[in-house]
Amino acid sequence: MASHRHSGPSSYRVGTMAEKFDCHYCRDPLQGKKYVQKDGHHCCLKCFDKFCANTCVECRKPIGADSKEVHYKNRYWHDTCFRCAKCLRSLANETFVAKDNKILCNKCTTREDSPKCKGCFKPIVAGDQNVEYKGTVWHKDCFTCSNCKQVIGTGSFFPKGEDFYCVTCHEAKFAKHCVKCNKGLVKAPVWWPMKDNPGTTTASTAKNAP
């Protein structure tokens, strides 16, 4: 998926007729009037809109000779209609990304492609402080104890099915202790910084870093 710049207008020329030419379609005289030259023919603005103008894929109206036109892969827009499908920001003079038949600005593309936080469901943005466990990612402050709701962050925790518990809550609810040393028999996952994803810390029960 790459960023693109829009193409310019189709090949036609607009001017004021100085000679005695008639409109190719309606045969009205063009001398002294504004006209369009396209594919070797001269026509009035009205006939250009009716017979020659491309249709804007956004508003479904003809793109007149006086309008600025944007085209990309055989689709055409008025420059004012060429907007990001998400935030509606004008992209007439901006780079854009075409994705799933939609036109998106670079900012919205980043948001759409970003993984979502399991806690708040908002995008995980590069540079945020995040935590990851078994392929699921949270903002650091969204990784909370299922019981007391306190932020676990990168503190010790114990997974239990779909839930996660801080040490205190796990001890109170589930922990089994060794009768000899009275220590918990279940070990908490260990946090490791992710080398290929700075800002994200992953938890694992493995002895070596991922």
Side-chain angles (χ1 to χ4, degrees):
M1 185 169 56
S3 293
H4 305 278
R5 282 205 173 272
H6 60 75
S7 304
S10 301
S11 54
Y12 60 82
R13 186 165 63 87
V14 182
T16 302
M17 181 60 71
E19 302 173 58
K20 289 187 177 181
F21 279 103
D22 294 336
C23 174
H24 176 75
Y25 298 98
C26 68
R27 296 302 174 188
D28 282 354
L30 293 174
Q31 192 170 22
K33 296 178 183 176
K34 209 165 187 180
Y35 78 102
V36 182
Q37 181 178 334
K38 181 176 171 63
D39 300 330
H41 302 305
H42 305 90
C43 64
C44 65
L45 299 186
K46 188 175 179 181
C47 287
F48 177 84
D49 287 358
K50 187 175 181 181
F51 299 108
C52 304
N54 294 307
T55 301
C56 175
V57 297
E58 182 67 26
C59 70
R60 303 295 177 187
K61 293 178 181 177
I63 304 172
D66 287 333
S67 300
K68 288 184 179 179
E69 180 182 87
V70 174
H71 77 268
Y72 175 71
K73 287 195 174 179
N74 297 320
R75 294 194 294 162
Y76 300 85
W77 295 260
H78 294 98
D79 66 330
T80 53
C81 293
F82 193 67
R83 299 176 296 180
C84 173
K86 287 275 186 184
C87 68
L88 303 182
R89 174 185 167 195
S90 174
L91 297 176
N93 298 308
E94 305 283 340
T95 56
F96 65 92
V97 174
K99 183 182 177 186
D100 300 330
N101 216 30
K102 293 186 296 186
I103 300 298
L104 298 170
C105 68
N106 288 332
K107 198 170 185 180
C108 287
T109 302
T110 302
R111 282 188 190 138
E112 198 165 87
D113 289 344
S114 297
K116 302 292 189 295
C117 170
K118 177 77 171 177
C120 67
F121 306 107
K122 291 179 181 178
I124 299 286
V125 180
D128 285 350
Q129 291 298 306
N130 312 307
V131 295
E132 182 265 348
Y133 180 68
K134 291 189 174 180
T136 304
V137 188
W138 293 260
H139 295 111
K140 190 175 177 181
D141 290 343
C142 294
F143 189 57
T144 58
C145 174
S146 298
N147 187 54
C148 68
K149 307 303 179 188
Q150 293 296 308
V151 174
I152 296 171
T154 52
S156 293
F157 73 97
F158 292 88
K160 193 83 173 171
E162 292 291 311
D163 296 324
F164 302 92
Y165 295 90
C166 66
V167 174
T168 303
C169 290
H170 185 265
E171 288 278 324
K173 289 175 75 71
F174 306 108
K176 295 178 180 176
H177 293 80
C178 173
V179 292
K180 188 172 182 180
C181 68
N182 203 36
K183 290 182 179 178
L185 296 175
V186 179
K187 291 195 180 231
V190 178
W191 291 106
W192 305 93
M194 292 183 76
K195 295 173 186 175
D196 58 346
N197 192 0
T200 299
T201 308
T202 186
S204 174
T205 52
K207 291 182 180 179
N208 298 316

